[in-house]
Amino acid sequence: QVQLVESGGGLVQAGGSLRLSCAASGRTVSAYTMGWFRQAPGKEREFVAAISWSTANTNYADSVRARFTISRDNAENTVSLQMNSLKPEDTAVYYCATGVIATMINTRLTNAYDYWGQGTQVTVSS
């Protein structure tokens, strides 16, 4: 059984930083694509970042590129999202996801992932 557990969310002022972590069990993060998505109140879930299983290629939403960094720790079987220069519009519940995805362009699609975590709240105050 695959389980993903996110942690590291919280309240931060605009311009600050947070580091989210996703601990995986039942699936090796180095063998699957791992992604981060977010969902703000009243909005659809949107893609944030992904890292491929094979080459560790990364993909980012334009809104977070150059501010967020996705990485994985194979020894700990975790995936992290370092978030810098946070803005109030980054406020959302952040979800970790995993899937078998052949091309990086498809890592932006929610239906490309087969397991999801429960989410962690990130709130950025102005």
Side-chain angles (χ1 to χ4, degrees), residues 23-39:
S25 60
R27 178 168 286 189
T28 302
V29 299
S30 61
Y32 294 86
T33 296
M34 302 297 297
W36 285 95
F37 288 74
R38 66 187 182 187
Q39 188 166 17

Side-chain angles (χ1 to χ4, degrees), residues 57-104:
N57 284 343
T58 56
N59 191 15
Y60 295 93
D62 290 343
S63 59
V64 306
R65 196 183 307 276
R67 298 189 298 124
F68 291 10
T69 302
I70 188 171
S71 62
R72 67 179 184 218
D73 184 329
N74 294 339
E76 296 293 328
N77 209 39
T78 59
V79 175
S80 297
L81 184 69
Q82 177 65 43
M83 307 186 295
N84 298 329
S85 302
L86 283 162
K87 305 174 181 179
E89 50 263 44
D90 294 319
T91 295
V93 177
Y94 282 71
Y95 298 90
C96 176
T98 179
V100 180
I101 306 173
T103 59
M104 290 307 292

Side-chain angles (χ1 to χ4, degrees), residues 110-123:
T110 56
N111 61 9
Y113 296 83
D114 51 2
Y115 291 97
W116 294 80
Q118 293 300 305
T120 185
Q121 175 71 45
V122 171
T123 303

Side-chain angles (χ1 to χ4, degrees), residues 43-62:
K43 295 187 177 182
E44 293 188 352
R45 191 168 298 189
E46 65 174 3
F47 170 75
V48 175
I51 185 166
S52 71
W53 65 274
S54 57
T55 62
N57 284 343
T58 56
N59 191 15
Y60 295 93
D62 290 343

